[in-house]
Amino acid sequence: TKHNLEATLFDKILYKIRNSKFVGSKKQRYLLWEKFENYILTRKKFCDILKGFKADLVVTASPGIVTTADLPYLRAARILEIPTCGVIQQWDNLSTKGLMPFRPTKLAVWNEASKKDAMELQYYDFQDVEICGVPHFDLYQKAPFEDRDYFFKKIGFNPNKPLITFTTAPYKSVADHTYVLDILVNAMKEKLFLKEIQVLCRLHPLDDKKRYQKFKNLENIKFDFPGKYSPYLGWDPDLEETKHLIDTLYYTDVLINIASTITIEAAILDKPIINLGFSTSEPGRFYKSVLINHHKKHYKYILEIGGIKIANNEKEFIDYIKTYLENPKIDSEKRKQLAESITYKLDGNQAK
């Protein structure tokens, strides 16, 4: 059924009210507001749809956190007294996206930290939150999906040279971080690495491709552009896209990113990980968006466990790459601990 999936001005106003100090800081006020908000927004046609299905349960992959697409059905389910279950897709959704516009009867979350966030930040009771792990990470236990030679041929690189993968962040959140490629290009020119490296830059779907034009003709730098980004569902990769990402990480020798969930995915595959703790382009904005909004919130759990290197300047950045290329097993045990702690279980059966 087609309906307005994108957040309207009215949705944004409701978000402001919901997360205001007057409403959002008090549990009872928020619970009353959430009920009122959903009551006035419930549409009869969606009640009729659920009646037609004779639904016993409504399950959503996003209770209005990253998309509003499922909200009409969830609201109808409440009117019809059908229980609802929300599967939280990302471990930061409960801590960085504000209060949920709809509260499913039960929540399925990644880990203990997510459960804590659900209870402390979203006012859930202990018994209404279930730790289920990360179903969409089950595929990592089946890696690789393509052999090394075929994969490197596909991305245009030499399978006998080390692969450094840099995954970028949304343009609006971190601004210009092409400085990372500038540093790597200069290091390659000055032959600071014992072996000739190859850099695969995987752009975030919300990054700005135009900023990377100056690197497009360099021999040792290639770009990977993830699939479609839907305004309704966000990044919406299909199975082949997901397998490609898994293979990319599987054949990566060192992963570089700002402060992303891809750190966890690399840890599952025991790949050395370097996060950026500095910016030479917009240090003030970087400090606020990364060191405060990430490191002080959900990402603090990764920093507490360890298993990754945080490069605080250019010299540390290059030194960490050299160290990991020479000995990729450094921090291996910590990476395993990190992966198991954040994803709950690494048995390939979390979907079950």
Side-chain angles (χ1 to χ4, degrees):
T1 302
K2 293 183 179 180
H3 54 90
N4 182 27
L5 300 175
E6 297 185 67
T8 64
L9 176 61
F10 185 54
D11 292 325
K12 293 174 182 177
I13 292 172
L14 292 176
Y15 177 89
K16 288 283 188 182
I17 297 173
R18 190 186 321 127
N19 288 282
S20 67
K21 287 185 178 180
F22 179 75
V23 173
S25 62
K26 299 293 183 182
K27 179 179 180 179
Q28 291 307 316
R29 289 177 185 169
Y30 162 60
L31 295 181
L32 285 172
W33 174 261
E34 185 265 350
K35 288 182 180 178
F36 168 74
E37 182 179 325
N38 285 288
Y39 176 77
I40 64 172
L41 293 174
T42 299
R43 298 290 178 265
K44 181 179 180 299
K45 66 178 179 179
F46 293 101
C47 293
D48 293 338
I49 291 171
L50 290 187
K51 286 179 181 177
F53 285 137
K54 298 181 179 179
D56 297 300
L57 174 69
V58 174
V59 182
T60 172
S62 177
I65 296 176
V66 295
T67 175
T68 60
D70 293 354
L71 285 178
Y73 302 97
L74 293 169
R75 288 167 177 153
R78 176 176 289 175
I79 293 294
L80 298 173
E81 298 184 344
I82 301 171
T84 54
C85 176
V87 181
I88 303 303
Q89 285 283 0
Q90 289 289 347
W91 63 310
D92 67 337
N93 284 172
L94 298 175
S95 61
T96 64
K97 308 296 184 184
L99 289 163
M100 291 188 293
F102 183 93
R103 290 168 54 79
T105 315
K106 301 287 183 180
L107 278 187
V109 300
W110 282 28
N111 51 37
E112 290 286 354
S114 296
K115 182 164 186 171
K116 182 180 178 183
D117 286 341
M119 290 164 43
E120 293 183 357
L121 303 178
Q122 303 290 342
Y123 303 121
Y124 265 88
D125 293 327
F126 180 89
Q127 68 272 13
D128 293 330
V129 185
E130 191 75 23
I131 298 172
C132 297
V134 194
H136 52 283
F137 283 177
D138 282 348
L139 275 176
Y140 279 80
Q141 305 305 316
K142 300 179 180 179
F145 297 96
E146 296 172 344
D147 65 54
R148 184 179 182 88
D149 288 344
Y150 181 82
F151 174 79
F152 274 81
K153 181 180 180 181
K154 185 171 71 173
I155 63 173
F157 272 155
N158 186 336
N160 299 314
K161 295 179 181 179
L163 177 63
I164 308 295
T165 298
F166 170 45
T167 60
T168 74
Y171 173 72
K172 290 183 179 180
S173 65
V174 184
D176 191 350
H177 45 288
T178 56
Y179 71 92
V180 178
L181 291 183
D182 286 329
I183 293 172
L184 291 172
V185 169
N186 290 333
M188 286 188 279
K189 286 180 179 177
E190 296 175 15
K191 300 187 184 304
L192 298 183
F193 304 113
L194 294 178
K195 296 180 180 179
E196 184 180 2
I197 67 168
Q198 306 166 112
V199 179
L200 179 66
C201 182
R202 179 181 170 88
L203 266 62
H204 190 282
L206 292 181
D207 203 348
D208 183 0
K209 294 180 182 179
K210 294 192 295 291
R211 295 186 299 154
Y212 298 88
Q213 289 298 310
K214 64 179 179 178
F215 304 104
K216 67 177 183 178
N217 295 321
L218 297 182
E219 182 181 355
N220 286 340
I221 293 183
K222 304 287 185 185
F223 289 90
D224 197 6
F225 304 104
K228 62 181 180 180
Y229 189 88
S230 164
Y232 311 135
L233 299 174
W235 183 41
D236 187 24
D238 58 21
L239 182 59
E240 291 308 309
E241 173 81 28
T242 303
K243 289 179 178 179
H244 174 70
L245 171 59
I246 294 172
D247 282 341
T248 298
L249 295 176
Y250 185 87
Y251 291 118
T252 290
D253 292 285
V254 179
L255 174 75
I256 300 163
N257 73 92
I258 307 295
S260 166
T261 300
I262 208 161
T263 289
I264 301 165
E265 295 165 74
I268 293 173
L269 297 173
D270 193 23
K271 297 299 175 176
I273 304 151
I274 300 173
N275 284 176
L276 278 301
F278 73 101
S279 170
T280 60
S281 60
E282 297 181 64
R285 186 172 178 182
F286 183 91
Y287 177 82
K288 182 179 179 181
S289 63
V290 178
L291 303 186
I292 298 298
N293 290 340
H294 280 70
H295 286 194
K296 299 289 185 182
K297 294 181 181 178
H298 65 288
Y299 214 76
K300 68 181 180 181
Y301 298 113
I302 286 181
L303 302 181
E304 288 170 358
I305 297 169
I308 63 175
K309 302 292 189 191
I310 306 290
N312 295 305
N313 53 60
E314 184 174 334
K315 183 180 184 304
E316 282 189 3
F317 181 45
I318 297 302
D319 286 346
Y320 287 152
I321 295 175
K322 290 163 67 176
T323 297
Y324 276 143
L325 288 177
E326 292 169 15
N327 189 351
K329 286 301 177 183
I330 291 177
D331 296 325
S332 180
E333 284 302 313
K334 278 287 185 180
R335 288 194 293 269
K336 181 180 179 182
Q337 182 184 343
L338 170 63
E340 290 178 342
S341 174
I342 300 296
T343 67
Y344 179 54
K345 287 182 180 180
L346 292 174
D347 58 3
N349 294 308
Q350 295 183 80
K352 293 180 182 178

